[in-house]
């Protein structure tokens, strides 16, 4: 009669010891506060204004491309710094195409997606400090690996890092930069008219935040 009780007691004790061994875990919080500070600026207060667009100028069954716009992006640092750029869509989920390089223009009164836009950096249209020629690079791994630096235009993304280097073919990421000035191409597309509720005025309501990521 006593044996089952003894066996049960041993099993409970073993379980209690196992729970006690796993009841704590260490957390480390690390980082680096640096005196470096970089300030990004956009020309025209960061406003791209297409004015009034008549619905009769929109394509019925396919997207309508709006005229290309240009915006000047500058980043000024208090000392040469390694940094990258990325952009967060403040209208996330409203772009017609689900991709990190497309940003939404908001929703119409019926909840339809109005359109999308993208922003493209061109190394040939970018000036860095006193460097004669600059090359673009990007990382889709949070800075662990970098694309071979070249002169190809790069669309800024929400998840990828975009940077510049003075070394063609480099795979080590951005160079230390104190001042960057780039003319960026902005391209917008309005959704097909058949997909929109245009019974009232429809506001293009794109909004995004550009971020400097210190490396």
């Amino acid at each position: 009669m006593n044996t089952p009780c003894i066996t049960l007691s041993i099993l409970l004790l073993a379980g209690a010891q196992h729970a006690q061994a796993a009841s704590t875990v260490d957390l480390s919080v690390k980082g680096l506060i640096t005196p470096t500070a970089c300030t990004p600026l956009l020309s025209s207060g960061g406003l791209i204004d297409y004015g009034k667009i008549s619905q009769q100028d929109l394509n019925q069954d396919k997207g309508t491309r709006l005229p290309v716009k240009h915006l000047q992006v500058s980043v000024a640092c208090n000392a040469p710094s390694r940094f990258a750029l990325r952009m967060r869509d403040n209208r996330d989920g409203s772009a017609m195409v689900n991709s990190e390089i497309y940003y939404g223009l908001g929703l119409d009164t019926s909840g339809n997606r109005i359109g999308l836009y993208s922003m493209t950096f061109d190394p040939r249209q970018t000036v860095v400090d006193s460097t004669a020629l600059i090359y673009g690079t990007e990382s889709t791994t949070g800075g662990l690996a970098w694309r071979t630096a070249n002169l190809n235009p790069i669309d800024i993304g929400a998840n990828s890092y975009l940077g510049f280097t003075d070394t063609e073919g480099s795979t080590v990421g951005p160079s230390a930069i104190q001042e960057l000035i780039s003319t960026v191409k902005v391209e917008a597309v309005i959704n097909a008219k058949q997909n929109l509720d245009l019974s009232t005025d429809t506001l293009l309501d794109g909004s995004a935040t550009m971020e400097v990521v210190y490396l």
Side-chain angles (χ1 to χ4, degrees):
M1 295 293 295
N2 293 331
T3 303
C5 294
I6 295 172
T7 303
L8 180 61
S9 176
I10 292 173
L11 289 174
L12 288 174
L13 180 60
Q17 289 174 336
H18 178 73
Q20 184 176 9
S23 63
T24 63
V25 64
D26 292 332
L27 169 67
S28 296
V29 179
K30 297 183 179 181
L32 177 67
I33 299 176
T34 172
T36 300
C38 297
T39 303
L41 291 174
L42 301 175
S43 61
S44 303
L47 175 64
I48 296 290
D49 189 356
Y50 284 99
K52 290 187 176 180
I53 303 168
S54 173
Q55 64 168 291
Q56 70 180 9
D57 295 329
L58 301 179
N59 297 321
Q60 177 65 25
D61 57 358
K62 63 180 181 180
T64 302
R65 290 188 175 275
L66 299 182
V68 172
K69 300 283 188 177
H70 291 89
L71 197 66
Q72 188 177 87
V73 175
S74 64
V75 180
C77 305
N78 61 359
S81 308
R82 294 185 71 246
F83 64 83
L85 301 174
R86 65 181 174 187
M87 196 158 76
R88 182 180 71 251
D89 192 357
N90 298 326
R91 301 293 180 263
D92 192 29
S94 71
M96 294 154 40
V97 178
N98 183 20
S99 170
E100 69 157 332
I101 64 169
Y102 294 127
Y103 303 89
L105 291 173
L107 306 174
D108 65 16
T109 54
S110 294
N112 302 307
R113 298 173 182 181
I114 297 172
L116 58 79
Y117 65 99
S118 62
M119 291 181 60
T120 305
F121 283 75
D122 188 342
R124 293 181 176 88
Q125 300 295 322
T126 302
V127 178
V128 170
D129 298 332
S130 58
T131 304
L133 195 58
I134 201 73
Y135 305 92
T137 183
E138 63 181 338
S139 173
T140 60
T141 59
L144 297 178
W146 292 87
R147 187 194 75 180
T148 301
N150 56 50
L151 291 173
N152 296 335
I154 307 174
D155 295 322
I156 188 170
N159 303 313
S160 301
Y161 288 0
L162 183 156
F164 296 93
T165 175
D166 56 4
T167 306
E168 184 177 12
S170 172
T171 58
V172 298
S175 301
I177 294 171
Q178 185 156 3
E179 184 179 34
L180 179 146
I181 301 175
S182 186
T183 300
V184 176
K185 180 172 67 174
V186 180
E187 296 180 277
V189 178
I190 303 299
N191 206 343
K193 187 161 59 172
Q194 66 185 17
N195 298 329
L196 296 172
D197 179 359
L198 302 176
S199 58
T200 61
D201 287 347
T202 301
L203 178 67
L204 303 188
D205 188 31
S207 174
T209 301
M210 186 175 295
E211 178 186 3
V212 175
V213 180
Y214 300 99
L215 302 174

